[in-house]
Amino acid sequence: MENLTAMKRGGNGSTICSGLEALAVSRIPWSRYEGNDVEAVAAMCICRERPTARRIRPSQGDGGIDVYVPLGDNRVEVYQVKKFAENLTSNHLGQISKSYNRIKDYATERGWTIQAWHLTMPLDPTPENDEWFAGLTGDDPFEATWQGLSVFDNWAADYGQVIDYYLEGGKSRLGQDMSRFAATASILLPGVNADDAERAFTTLEPATVRDRLALLRATLNDADPHYLYDIAVGSSPAAPPITGDGYPALVASVSSNVDDQVVTVHILARCAESLLERPISHEGTIVVARGSDEEREWQRFLVSRVVS
């Protein structure tokens, strides 16, 4: 196996090397992919590795993606994701510097204290890059690291679902599997169009539903980088799983009758960013008695949504 190295700057600006041994997988040619795709992959891998992480979507067009991890007490850890996979030019270095200063301003405006900042891209630094990096970050009180190619290669080994979804056509295949599930269970999953599902697939006979759903559950969980699916078939809707305060976190439960059986699907977000990357939408009618406590609670909820 190839021994890979992650570059890190300590508190005094010196470079520290820690050995990371890559898993036996084919190295991804990052430079061949569109920059937006590379950045999306890196951002989602960070969110999978740090499930409470959230993306910052800046209005300024300096390029790249910021991901922050809330640490409590207004402290944050920040990842600055860039697409650069080949030798850095002066323009690239300028973009990184601009992003670095922007995130510090962004944190100040929000009363955040940056605990660590990670420059993240599929490129390991040269000695000259390392010297430049120390000059950029050396005067700030927080830890700064360069997360390079070795980190990306390890993410590819750990989060194959993310790689397949964003780079290898997995998004399309996952959509087809979700449509098959919708046709089988009469339950729509995130991103499935009801008309497309009905046109593309024929609902199975009830006697085959249980086996078919078990297979589809395994397929979906193996392929979906954003959600997990807990599926139960019984005589009544299944109780939601107990997930605790972390991730995966339960975000939706839905049941549907298939002949004399009830299919229940619990959808769990793998990380906080899942709901923003692929939102779950639902249409329905809420009925409350006029003048009831429930109506007053509902009105307060609607007002709070408008105000926020």
Side-chain angles (χ1 to χ4, degrees), residues 2-5 20 22-33 122 124 148-154 156-157 163 168:
E2 183 179 1
N3 188 48
L4 301 175
T5 301
L20 294 174
L23 296 181
V25 294
S26 298
R27 171 165 280 180
I28 293 175
W30 296 101
S31 61
R32 297 183 185 177
Y33 291 100
D124 287 329
L149 179 60
S150 57
V151 173
F152 276 71
D153 286 341
N154 279 278
I163 303 300
E168 305 297 339

Side-chain angles (χ1 to χ4, degrees), residues 155-188:
W155 279 339
D158 292 339
Y159 304 112
Q161 300 158 328
V162 176
I163 303 300
D164 185 58
Y165 182 87
Y166 288 97
L167 300 182
E168 305 297 339
K171 181 177 182 179
S172 176
R173 292 190 296 274
L174 178 61
Q176 294 174 356
D177 289 331
M178 287 184 164
S179 293
R180 291 187 180 95
F181 182 90
T184 303
S186 299
I187 294 176
L188 296 184

Side-chain angles (χ1 to χ4, degrees), residues 35-47 55 62-68 78-84 95-96 99 102 117-122 147 152 155:
N36 290 341
D37 292 334
V38 173
E39 291 170 353
V41 165
M44 184 50 58
C45 286
I46 293 167
C47 291
R55 285 176 57 177
D62 62 329
I65 295 173
D66 290 314
V67 178
Y68 74 95
V78 177
Y79 294 79
Q80 172 62 44
V81 181
K82 294 294 186 184
K83 62 189 177 184
F84 311 136
Q95 291 184 45
I96 295 169
S99 297
R102 175 177 55 78
W117 179 82
H118 309 289
L119 175 60
T120 308
M121 57 185 170
Q147 305 232 36
F152 276 71
W155 279 339

Side-chain angles (χ1 to χ4, degrees), residues 273-295:
E273 187 65 18
S274 297
L275 288 167
L276 294 176
E277 185 72 6
R278 272 174 59 215
I280 296 176
S281 61
H282 178 72
E283 294 182 3
T285 302
I286 296 176
V287 180
V288 294
R290 187 175 298 277
S292 66
D293 291 341
E294 288 80 8
E295 183 191 24

Side-chain angles (χ1 to χ4, degrees), residues 245-261:
D245 296 330
Y247 288 89
L250 181 68
V251 293
S253 296
V254 61
S255 297
S256 176
N257 292 321
V258 179
D259 197 45
D260 61 345
Q261 302 177 87

